[in-house]
Amino acid sequence: MSNFIKIEPLEEDELAFIQKRNEKESKAYVLGMNMVLIASVAIPFVVALIYKIRFQRTDIMIQAFLYALCITLSFSAIVSFFSYRRSLFDIRKDLKEKTKIVESSLITEKKFMPLNNTWHFYLDNAFKYSIEVSEDDFHRFHVNDEINIEYSTYSKEYFGYY
């Protein structure tokens, strides 16, 4: 069975959730990139110091510093790009587009988890295999009933079901 998918605009609370997630991820990204840049500058100084002690020549020390600086800055640029693509790119696309996906799914299995006192539906959905539901919904819906799940278009942040 194929799931019915439609695209709708984000509601205010969902948009606020994505904005909060963007702020959190941005802070983590900036902190991580600051550490990478500090290392990118500190490592060439250590390499230059080692060459100065070992060879006692300034020209070799400067050459080693420049090579190490080029390598570490190149590595930092690559890390920065892939880290941004992984953590922030899709979130910012969601903030720009302000859309979400509403997808219908069949309940394939229902389970109560006594260890943490939660109720779960297992779905025929590639994006979301299982969801936690309220006790009332657990008893109201049955296996093979259809429910809709909502998630952001690009970052796939799960908003809920109905």
Side-chain angles (χ1 to χ4, degrees):
M1 167 180 154
S2 71
N3 297 347
F4 177 72
I5 296 174
K6 67 179 178 178
I7 296 176
E8 294 182 354
L10 285 173
E11 296 171 12
E12 289 299 319
D13 59 333
E14 295 164 341
L15 186 58
F17 177 78
I18 296 288
Q19 286 171 333
K20 191 180 292 185
R21 178 81 194 278
N22 180 51
E23 291 170 10
K24 181 182 171 189
E25 290 293 329
S26 293
K27 287 178 185 176
Y29 176 78
V30 168
L31 178 66
M33 288 307 102
N34 283 341
M35 288 190 284
V36 167
L37 285 176
I38 289 169
S40 295
V41 174
I43 291 171
F45 279 114
V46 171
V47 169
L49 184 62
I50 291 170
Y51 271 81
K52 176 66 175 170
I53 292 170
R54 177 137 191 236
F55 296 110
Q56 299 294 321
R57 291 180 45 200
T58 308
D59 59 331
I60 293 177
M61 178 193 74
I62 292 172
Q63 189 176 15
F65 173 79
L66 291 175
Y67 282 140
L69 185 64
C70 289
I71 290 169
T72 57
L73 287 178
S74 298
F75 180 73
S76 296
I78 292 168
V79 166
S80 175
F81 173 76
F82 285 109
S83 179
Y84 178 80
R85 288 285 299 174
R86 186 182 148 274
S87 65
L88 284 171
F89 184 73
D90 290 334
I91 294 172
R92 293 201 171 155
K93 271 179 99 171
D94 280 333
L95 286 174
K96 181 181 175 194
E97 297 290 326
K98 297 179 181 169
T99 60
K100 66 181 174 183
I101 293 174
V102 178
E103 184 173 355
S104 65
S105 297
L106 287 180
I107 299 170
T108 58
E109 191 175 349
K110 295 169 49 171
K111 283 198 178 178
F112 171 68
M113 303 293 178
L115 185 63
N116 55 2
N117 201 33
T118 57
W119 296 267
H120 296 267
F121 288 159
Y122 289 85
L123 308 172
D124 70 336
N125 189 299
F127 162 69
K128 198 76 170 158
Y129 178 66
S130 74
I131 58 172
E132 184 176 337
V133 298
S134 67
E135 182 179 5
D136 293 338
D137 288 339
F138 185 80
H139 296 298
R140 185 168 51 120
F141 291 103
H142 304 287
V143 173
N144 290 327
D145 281 353
E146 187 175 278
I147 63 169
N148 293 318
I149 61 170
E150 300 176 323
Y151 53 94
S152 60
T153 306
Y154 300 103
S155 63
K156 307 295 188 224
E157 286 292 328
Y158 174 69
F159 297 127
Y161 67 95
Y162 63 91

